[in-house]
Amino acid sequence: YFECLNTSLSLMQQGFKWKHVFRTPLISCSRYPEGIKWKFLEHKGPVFAPPYEPLPENVKFYYDGKVMKLSTKAEEVATFFAKMLDHEYTTKEIFRKNFFKDWRKEMTSEEKSTITNLSKCDFTHMSQYFKAQSEARKQMSKEEKQKIKDENERLLKEYGYCVMDNHKERIANFKIEPPGLFRGRGNHPKMGMLKRRIMPEDIIINCSKDSKIPAPPPGHKWKEVRHDNKVTWLVSWTENIQGSIKYIMLNPSSRIKGEKDWQKYETARRLKKCVDKIRNQYREDWKSKEMKVRQRAVALYFIDKLALRAGNEKEEGETADTVGCCSLRVEHIKLHPELDGQEYVVEFDFLGKDSIRYYNKVPVEKRVFKNLQLFMENKQPEDDLFDRLNTSILNKHLQDLMEGLTAKVFRTYNASITLQQQLKELTNPDDNIPAKILSYNRANRAVAILCNHQRAPPKTFEKSMMNLQSKIDAKKEQLADARRELKSAKADAKVRRDEKSKKTVESKKKAVQRIEEQLMKLEVQATDREENKQIALGTSKLNYLDPRISVAWCKKWGIPIEKIYNKTQREKFAWAIDMAEEDYEF
Ligand SMILES: *[C@@H]1O[C@H](CO)[C@@H](O)[C@H](O)[C@H]1NC(C)=O
Ligand SMILES: *[C@@H]1O[C@H](CO)[C@@H](O)[C@H](O)[C@H]1NC(C)=O
Ligand SMILES: *[C@@H]1O[C@H](CO)[C@@H](O)[C@H](O)[C@H]1NC(C)=O
Ligand SMILES: *[C@@H]1O[C@H](CO)[C@@H](O)[C@H](O)[C@H]1NC(C)=O
Ligand SMILES: CC(=O)N[C@H]1CO[C@H](CO)[C@@H](O)[C@@H]1O
């Protein structure tokens, strides 16, 4: 039931949780539950349907075989019927009766006295005209289509968002439906009735008193402006067919999704505050008398240090033989008191989630190493490494350490903070934008490696690399040519010493610069692609990296956000992109 509400953020902030969320289809609730309200709401009001455009002179309507020119109002309603002419509806008795009754209300008295029998009305010419129009729309040129797209985007930008309590929110249905004929389901007794055009005079606006109240279209007034912060809607009106109230509300799904994301990163931020305490605790526990506690502490160390997954509670081993931290077996690790000049090295080799091999050689602390030796004593290769531990015990322990803590939170925390540190380290303030983006991708890669997000090199890799290389070669040649031309222009200018040759030198210089920049861009691209060969950046970017870090980085260096996130990602992270916070420190 509460799925339809836009309130979960305020509730959760107050420390409440729903007992249960039923994922039933959306029901529009116009009111928040008791005690929930917004403090601030600002929006631009609805977008009205475009006004009626009268038919061209050559499109005719016939009554009883004779051409008849309709008044604008009557003509508009006639077009609704004409557009549906091929539809079965227009043959139904109730539909025709309802339509005719409502149509007559829009007619002039003259029209009313002439048009008395719907069966004598001939809409076919109109209908043909609309068919031709929709055909023409399909044949539109790219530019025309782009123009429409641009206009839609402009509307979305202007009207598609509101501000509610410091959050910029997407509005679900900011466009008011155009007028038309009511259809209803089955044999609805009201089918065919005229769904009126909604005018500003029908509209109730709901917003904060202290917000910029939306302006009605010129020459019009709103029915009412109210400031009711206990309701969920921004705009409402009463539709004329059923007399039901219609609302414009927020887009609940985007908000709920965004909130989950937001909460995840807030939990990771909380971990940052207590991670030192947790680390001190598990270090102490390595010395515990209880075997169970020691195992738990070593497992926790792995989760923290290596971003291992805890392991599934149920499905484990059901399909492929994949393991997580708690289900590691003796055969999955090798202990090396010394390896490649390092002490106490653990060699991991197992199949993790999605059957991705995890292979890593890590030096660990002496106490961990000694404990692992102890856990492996007298065991067979196929025995559990942590025989006193399972995923539910570990998860329970994590909950006790911090509310909401799971192995995944460690991953999120480490991934996010690593990204932040890497960005600080790798970004060179003097770099141009492509080089800065390369640094960003490198920071992102460092995280992906940490999270073991490998991939097989794409099949097209070699080919696309070769393409890029030949582009680079061509660009190099072009650069050499441009440099030669510059040199000879300079020599020429030395001899001639006139304005014209000076200008030529200048323009040749610019050309060289431009080509140098293009070459650099291509080279950066090649480096990026090469380094990315076996690493999947998407997973960490989408699931483990607090988007606020990336957004803050982009803002700091003036990098357009589009360079970092594509359209889908920008939608997912809208909550972070729109955030006012300029200096985001994870
Ligand atoms: C309406 O026109 C149709 C077709 O011309 C005719 O068959 C029908 O009898 C007319 N109905 C009335 C009530 O005049
Ligand atoms: C994140 O993980 C890496 C790799 O294990 C580790 O070296 C580092 O200390 C961790 N960083 C933080 C801040 O937890
Ligand atoms: C984990 O271990 C606890 C205590 O030994 C036991 O009660 C629980 O059933 C185990 N859970 C699973 C999923 O094996
Ligand atoms: C955006 O990138 C993701 C990979 O992270 C990809 O799956 C998705 O298709 C891309 N979307 C667009 C619109 O390019
Ligand atoms: C027309 C309309 O939407 N009216 C609603 C406005 O808000 C009040 C208070 O929440 C409701 O009672 C009305 O039904």
Side-chain angles (χ1 to χ4, degrees), residues 30-31 204 226 228 231 233 236-238 245-247:
S30 57
R31 252 178 188 287
I204 302 177
R226 68 172 75 169
D228 185 347
V231 297
W233 51 269
S236 84
W237 67 94
T238 306
I245 301 173
K246 297 279 200 179
Y247 301 100

Side-chain angles (χ1 to χ4, degrees), residues 313 390 392-393:
E313 287 196 27
N390 63 33
S392 31
I393 297 176

Side-chain angles (χ1 to χ4, degrees), residues 538 542 566-569:
L542 235 45
N566 71 23
K567 190 153 180 273
T568 344
Q569 293 162 344

Side-chain angles (χ1 to χ4, degrees), residues 153-248:
E153 262 171 34
R154 188 189 66 79
L155 280 181
L156 176 68
K157 237 182 172 163
E158 183 167 0
Y159 294 93
Y161 296 89
C162 71
V163 178
M164 185 183 266
D165 295 345
N166 298 324
H167 285 257
K168 188 170 163 186
E169 300 284 357
R170 181 86 152 71
I171 300 171
N173 54 334
F174 58 94
K175 284 185 185 161
I176 289 184
E177 265 186 58
L181 302 182
F182 179 70
R183 301 186 189 194
R185 281 189 206 149
N187 273 329
H188 198 288
K190 294 191 169 174
M191 65 160 76
M193 279 172 64
L194 174 62
K195 206 167 64 174
R196 277 193 312 110
R197 180 178 287 276
I198 304 301
M199 300 301 286
E201 285 70 16
D202 301 312
I203 296 288
I204 302 177
I205 296 283
N206 195 21
C207 62
S208 292
K209 261 188 198 139
D210 55 347
S211 76
K212 233 202 216 144
I213 292 168
H220 289 276
K221 280 201 302 250
W222 302 124
K223 180 177 180 187
E224 190 190 329
V225 175
R226 68 172 75 169
H227 313 286
D228 185 347
N229 64 358
K230 295 180 201 65
V231 297
T232 55
W233 51 269
L234 323 181
V235 170
S236 84
W237 67 94
T238 306
E239 63 71 47
N240 67 300
I241 305 276
Q242 314 260 49
S244 59
I245 301 173
K246 297 279 200 179
Y247 301 100
I248 291 180

Side-chain angles (χ1 to χ4, degrees), residues 454-517:
Q454 302 172 24
R455 66 166 182 186
K459 286 199 188 72
T460 55
F461 183 80
E462 292 304 332
K463 191 155 173 257
S464 76
M465 258 339 242
M466 258 156 64
N467 281 345
L468 195 53
Q469 195 51 52
S470 55
K471 269 191 203 161
I472 290 176
D473 293 343
K475 199 49 86 181
K476 277 184 179 158
E477 259 170 47
Q478 203 187 343
L479 182 61
D481 287 346
R483 281 190 177 141
R484 261 195 301 277
E485 279 178 35
L486 173 61
K487 208 169 155 192
S488 76
K490 271 183 180 162
D492 198 34
K494 231 180 195 167
V495 179
R496 293 221 230 156
R497 296 170 175 275
D498 62 355
E499 263 321 295
K500 194 174 160 222
S501 55
K502 250 193 210 161
K503 267 198 184 134
T504 314
V505 170
E506 276 316 304
S507 81
K508 296 281 176 205
K509 244 188 208 161
K510 281 218 179 88
V512 168
Q513 258 173 16
R514 201 181 58 238
I515 298 167
E516 273 172 350
E517 267 167 32

